[in-house]
Amino acid sequence: MMRHLLSTADLSRDDALLILDTAEQLAQVSGRSIKKLPTLRGRTVVNLFFEDSTRTRISFEAAAKRLSADVINFSAKGSSVSKGESLKDTALTLQAMGADAVVIRHGASGAPHRLANWVDGSVVNAGDGTHEHPTQALLDAFTMRRRLGDLDGRRVTIVGDVLHSRVARSNVHLLHTLGAEVTLVAPPTLLPVAMGDWPCEVSYDFDAVLSKSDVVMMLRVQHERMNASYFPSAREYSRRYGLDPERLGRMPEEAIVMHPGPMNRGMEIAAEVADCARSTIVEQVTNGVTVRMAVLYLLLSGSEPAIGGNQ
Amino acid sequence: MTYLLKGARVLGGEPKDILLKAGYIAEIGAPGEVDGTGAGHIDASGLIALPGLVDLHTHLREPGREDAETVESGTAAAALGGFTAVHAMANTSPVADTAGVVEQVWRLGQEAGHCDVQPVGAVTSGLAGRQLAELGAMADSAARVRVFSDDGVCVSDAVLMRRALEYVKAFDGVVAQHAQEPRLTEGAQMNEGAVSGRLGLTGWPAVAEEAIIARDCLLAAHVGSRLHICHVSTAGSVEIIRWAKSKGWDVTAEVTPHHLLLTDAFAEDSPTGPYNPIYKVNPPLRTRADVVALREALADGTIDCVATDHAPHPVEDKETEWPAAAMGMIGLETALSVVQEAMVETGLLDWAGVADRMSARPARIGRLDGHGGPLKPGAPANLTLLDPATRWAVDPGGFASKSRNTPYQGMTLPGRVVATFLRGRPTVLEGKLT
C-alpha cells in the first residue's frame, strides 16, 4: 500500500480492491452496537480543511474515531491561515505536532501533492480544487459494488460539470481501473478541451446514453457557473441534463442513481428521483465513513489485520 | 585597459586573436599576428567569441521588490550570462511610467556597472490600461527610452493600443505587447490542453495570445508603426507573425529560452513531483508541437530574437500550492546554454545565428547604439567568450541573481560563459564577476 492517497490514478487494481475489500470487512463493525476498534490507538489524524465541507470533515472524523485515532480538526477560518500563514508553514506546524496522517481539503488543485513534500505523515486528499476527491470515488465504487456486484463491464454514466468536478476525475480513473465503462455527459462548455486520453467516452446527449447505463451519477452544478455563460439558464440545464422521473423511467430497471451531494434538488436531480428506492444517496454517506476507515487503516497500519482476533 | 584574446573563434569560425583597446576592438588577426604588447593576455583557445548579448526583456525588480532582485544583482547575473545590455521591464513599484523612474533605473544600472541597463517605459500610467503614460517625456529623458511595454499586463483596449502605436512613431519607439486577452485568461494557471484538464488547473488557451497578436499586427499595419511581440509561446502565433511579416509590416517578436526547451508536461511530471510552481510562468509552457514551431521560427527569422523574461521571485512566492504561486522564472544565467541546447546542438542555428538572435536583432529592435556587434575593428568592445564544450549541472545556489526560481535545477546544460567585456572592460573573467 502506498504512503499517501492523492489521486485515484495512483491506485493499481490490487490497491483499489484491497481498499474496497477492507471496507467490506469494516462495514461489519458499523453494524455493531459498539462501533469502535482499537486499531489506530495513539495515532494522530489531522483534518486540515481550507474549504468548508462539514460533510466530508465529519465523515473523516467519524472514520478516524472509530479506529480510536486522536483527531485534531484544523479549519482555516479563524486560524493562523486566515492571517496569511503559508501552506508550507502550516505543514511544518503539523509535522512538529507529530501528525501521523493529514486529511486535507483545499481549494487549490494539487495542494495535497505539495503538502506531501513537507510532512512525513500520510496525506489523504479530501478534495483539491477542481482536481480529485479520491475517497469520494472509492465510496462510490464501494456503493456500486454492494448494489451491483463486480464492476467489470458495468456501464457508469456521470453527468454534469466535468470541467470543475474533482468527483468526476477521481471516478473516471478508479472505475476504469476496476473495469467499468465510463461515459461522461455534459454540455461542451463544461468539459475540458482536450480529453482524448481520458479512459472514458464523452457525450453531449444524456438521453442517448440513459438506456445503456447501469449507474447514473449526477454531479452538483455550482451556482456560480450560471452567471459565467457555461449554459443559458438553470431551467435549460435542467431540461437537457437533469435527471427527472421521466428519464429515470427510461433507465434499465436495476440501474441505480447516485449523487455525491450536496444536491440542488430541482436542478440536476428531481426530488422524486433523489428520494426513490433506486437512489443510493444516503447509502453513499454511510459508506463514506466505512471507506475512509479502510483508507486510514491501510495507510497507517499497513499489513496488520484490520479487525484483530480479539473481537 | 588593453586585452588580447588569444585564439578565440569569432562566431564559431577559425581561431583569431582579438585586441581590445580603449573600449573598442582595435584589431582582429590570425593567431600570433596581432601585437599584444602591454596587453593583458587571455587564453581564449576553444572559446567562441560572440557580440555581447542583449536582452529585450528583463525584470530587475528595483525599485520595489529588492528582496527578489536589484539592479546590482540582476545585472551581475546578466554579465555572467554573457549580456552587455538588458532592457529593464517597467512593472516595478513604483511603475516605470515617468521620466523620473526610468532615469532612476538607468542611473542604478550605470552605478552597478555590470552591463548597460536600458529602461523600458510603461505604455499606460500604472500599467492600468486606462491612459497613456508620458511616453515622450521618457523618450526625451536621460534614459532615452525607445521600448514601451505594460509587460505582465496586456494593453487589451484596442483604441489605447492603436494610440500607443501611433504616438511612439514620433520618436522611433516600439510598443512591446504582452499578448494576453484578459477575459479568456481569467484565473488561468497553465496551458489549456490535455495536461490542464487532467490536473484540474484553469487553462490559458493559445487563442488568447494569438487573437491579440493578430489584432495588433493589423493595428500596426493600419497606423504604420512598429510592433514588438513579447514572449511568443504558440505555434499559432508563429503563423500569424509569419503572415504579418510576409506583408512587409514592421512586426518583430521574441521567444524565451524556456519556451524553446520546456513543455507543460513538467506541471504533471517533474523530478520534484506534480504541481511544482517552479514551472508556472506567463505565458505558460506549451506543448511539444509549440516548442518545435518556436524553434523553427527562431531559426528561419520569423521570430527575431531570444529574450529571457528573467523574472525573479523570492522562495516564499514559489514554495506554495500552484494557484497561489507567482508566475515567472529566472533566465539570465542559463539563457545562452539553453539556446545552445535547443538551437545549436539541434543544428537549427550556428553561432553566427545565435549572435544575430541574441545580440544584433534585439539591439536593433531596442535602438540600442553600441551593442549588437558586429565583431570587427572599430566596433565597441562589447563581447562575450563562451566555452561550448563544457557541460554543467545547474545549481541556482551559485547564481548571482538574488532569486532561485530556475526550472533547470538539476539539469545538465551545455556551454558556459567564460568572460564578458563591456566597452573593453571585463565584467566577467574565468566565469566569475570581476
Side-chain angles (χ1 to χ4, degrees):
Chain A
M1 188 63 191
M2 55 221 313
R3 206 172 115 222
H4 308 295
L5 179 61
L6 302 175
S7 161
T8 53
D10 301 335
L11 294 174
S12 68
R13 187 180 166 92
D14 286 348
D15 288 336
L17 289 173
L18 176 62
I19 295 170
L20 297 177
D21 291 342
T22 304
E24 201 61 60
Q25 283 182 285
L26 289 164
Q28 300 160 15
V29 178
S30 304
R32 297 184 197 163
S33 54
I34 297 171
K35 296 183 168 61
K36 206 158 173 142
L37 291 169
T39 320
L40 296 185
R41 200 159 46 201
R43 303 299 199 97
T44 301
V45 175
V46 175
N47 282 325
L48 178 60
F49 275 57
F50 292 87
E51 280 185 344
D52 290 331
S53 176
T54 309
R55 301 159 58 96
T56 305
R57 185 182 57 73
I58 61 177
S59 181
F60 270 106
E61 185 171 353
K65 284 182 169 167
R66 283 188 195 169
L67 293 169
S68 303
D70 296 320
V71 179
I72 299 172
N73 285 314
F74 188 120
S75 118
K77 275 198 181 147
S79 74
S80 46
V81 173
S82 61
K83 296 170 192 156
E85 184 176 78
S86 71
L87 179 63
K88 183 175 181 181
D89 285 325
T90 304
L92 297 179
T93 302
L94 301 178
Q95 175 72 11
M97 287 176 181
D100 296 296
V102 180
V103 176
I104 177 175
R105 163 67 68 101
H106 200 291
S109 299
H113 293 78
R114 300 292 286 160
L115 183 72
N117 292 327
W118 300 318
V119 296
D120 291 336
S122 294
V123 175
V124 179
N125 181 358
D128 62 326
T130 53
H131 178 229
E132 283 219 33
H133 193 353
T135 58
Q136 178 70 44
L138 285 161
L139 77 87
D140 290 339
F142 182 81
T143 305
M144 289 178 216
R145 259 198 353 165
R146 286 203 134 187
R147 284 277 190 129
L148 305 170
D150 192 2
L151 296 187
D152 262 313
R154 288 293 188 175
R155 299 160 303 176
V156 180
T157 300
I158 302 175
V159 188
D161 182 359
V162 173
L163 180 62
H164 302 96
S165 176
R166 45 199 178 206
V167 177
R169 280 176 183 73
S170 285
N171 263 298
V172 166
H173 293 306
L174 181 67
L175 292 170
H176 172 72
T177 300
L178 292 171
E181 295 163 15
V182 180
T183 303
L184 298 175
V185 177
T189 47
L190 290 175
L191 290 166
V193 293
M195 299 181 71
D197 52 2
W198 288 40
C200 62
E201 299 294 315
V202 175
S203 171
Y204 307 141
D205 186 352
F206 192 10
D207 292 313
V209 296
L210 258 185
S211 61
K212 294 175 275 182
S213 306
D214 299 310
V215 177
V216 173
M217 183 187 297
M218 305 305 296
L219 301 174
R220 176 181 172 80
V221 178
Q222 305 282 351
H223 285 286
E224 68 230 46
R225 309 290 172 235
M226 297 179 204
N227 303 322
S229 298
Y230 285 101
F231 47 85
S233 68
R235 194 172 289 268
E236 172 152 326
Y237 181 88
S238 189
R239 260 197 310 268
R240 292 176 68 85
Y241 296 100
L243 187 58
D244 58 12
E246 191 273 321
R247 283 198 170 106
L248 181 71
R250 284 190 277 131
M251 288 166 52
E253 233 160 77
E254 281 84 51
I256 58 171
V257 175
M258 306 184 77
H259 193 300
M263 291 180 280
N264 294 306
R265 285 175 184 252
M267 171 71 177
E268 71 267 5
I269 189 165
E272 306 92 295
V273 177
D275 298 332
C276 76
R278 293 159 72 180
S279 157
T280 65
I281 295 166
V282 177
E283 277 166 68
Q284 285 172 267
V285 176
T286 310
N287 294 341
V289 177
T290 312
V291 164
R292 287 169 180 131
M293 286 172 75
V295 167
L296 289 172
Y297 161 72
L298 289 167
L299 288 176
L300 291 181
S301 48
S303 54
E304 296 162 42
I307 304 170
N310 56 343
Q311 29 185 302
Chain B
M1 194 68 192
T2 306
Y3 285 94
L4 183 66
L5 316 182
K6 295 172 66 175
R9 297 167 54 205
V10 177
L11 307 186
E14 290 304 305
K16 304 275 188 198
D17 287 358
I18 308 172
L19 186 66
L20 311 181
K21 201 170 180 178
Y24 290 86
I25 297 173
E27 197 178 341
I28 299 179
E33 294 187 1
V34 176
D35 179 11
T37 310
H41 287 215
I42 290 173
D43 178 8
S45 55
L47 307 185
I48 310 265
L50 298 172
L53 308 183
V54 175
D55 193 9
L56 268 178
H57 196 142
T58 312
H59 295 277
L60 293 177
R61 299 289 187 234
E62 189 176 3
R65 284 307 299 269
E66 291 82 354
D67 58 325
E69 197 79 284
T70 61
V71 172
E72 162 68 31
S73 65
T75 54
L80 286 165
F83 291 87
T84 52
V86 297
H87 286 73
M89 271 299 170
N91 63 339
T92 48
S93 178
V95 172
D97 58 359
T98 62
V101 177
V102 293
E103 286 189 352
Q104 179 198 357
V105 172
W106 178 71
R107 286 211 179 84
L108 286 168
Q110 294 220 310
E111 286 163 18
H114 301 299
C115 74
D116 286 347
V117 173
Q118 175 57 56
V120 173
V123 176
T124 67
S125 291
L127 309 177
R130 281 192 287 276
Q131 63 186 52
L132 292 183
E134 291 194 346
L135 309 180
M138 290 188 274
D140 294 342
S141 73
R144 279 191 69 259
V145 176
R146 290 295 176 272
V147 181
F148 298 90
S149 182
D150 275 3
D151 181 61
V153 189
C154 181
V155 182
S156 61
D157 183 309
V159 173
L160 205 52
M161 186 61 184
R162 176 203 165 136
R163 299 280 184 255
L165 285 165
E166 285 181 304
Y167 195 78
V168 299
K169 287 165 69 177
F171 33 84
D172 196 23
V174 63
V175 179
Q177 175 69 294
H178 171 117
Q180 177 179 3
E181 210 290 316
R183 282 277 286 151
L184 282 170
T185 51
E186 280 172 15
Q189 296 296 326
M190 67 172 297
N191 178 50
E192 181 165 285
V195 181
S196 69
R198 286 197 294 271
L199 292 181
L201 289 171
T202 306
W204 197 133
V207 60
E209 174 174 306
E210 293 154 5
I212 292 291
I213 292 176
R215 181 200 75 178
D216 288 353
C217 287
L218 294 166
L219 282 174
H222 182 61
V223 302
S225 188
R226 282 211 292 147
L227 169 70
H228 178 73
I229 299 152
C230 297
H231 41 53
V232 171
S233 71
T234 79
S237 297
V238 166
E239 284 192 55
I240 294 164
I241 294 162
R242 192 171 280 138
W243 169 76
K245 287 192 164 187
S246 76
K247 298 277 196 184
W249 301 343
D250 203 348
V251 173
T252 56
E254 72 192 30
V255 61
T256 70
H258 46 272
H259 287 109
L260 290 172
L261 195 64
L262 308 175
T263 67
D264 62 352
F266 281 89
E268 189 173 35
D269 186 14
S270 83
T272 47
Y275 294 102
N276 185 348
I278 202 78
Y279 303 106
K280 182 177 175 182
V281 63
N282 195 24
L285 300 177
R286 304 286 186 182
T287 67
R288 178 53 51 187
D290 293 304
V291 168
V292 169
L294 292 168
R295 289 180 179 186
E296 285 171 356
L298 183 65
D300 72 20
T302 302
I303 292 177
D304 299 81
C305 61
V306 175
T308 66
D309 196 4
H310 176 83
H313 291 291
V315 173
E316 63 269 24
D317 288 349
K318 284 290 190 181
E319 274 199 338
T320 66
E321 50 278 32
W322 182 289
M327 294 188 273
M329 33 186 71
I330 55 173
L332 286 168
E333 290 168 81
T334 46
L336 191 50
S337 291
V338 171
V339 170
Q340 183 178 341
E341 170 96 358
M343 301 300 296
V344 179
E345 307 217 329
T346 53
L348 288 164
L349 276 185
D350 56 15
W351 290 108
V354 172
D356 182 64
R357 306 301 196 272
M358 296 188 77
S359 181
R361 289 221 221 179
R364 198 151 65 230
I365 293 165
R367 300 293 191 255
L368 211 55
D369 295 336
H371 289 277
L375 295 183
K376 64 177 187 190
N382 295 317
L383 67 145
T384 188
L385 296 175
L386 169 83
D387 177 1
T390 301
R391 295 187 73 86
W392 57 294
V394 178
D395 171 17
F399 282 175
S401 170
K402 285 183 91 168
S403 290
R404 299 287 174 260
N405 53 306
T406 173
Y408 310 112
Q409 177 159 20
M411 282 190 196
T412 299
L413 293 174
R416 286 228 81 164
V417 169
V418 175
T420 306
F421 292 86
L422 177 64
R423 285 182 288 277
R425 178 176 60 79
T427 54
V428 173
L429 280 180
E430 294 176 359
K432 295 187 173 61
L433 291 170
T434 56

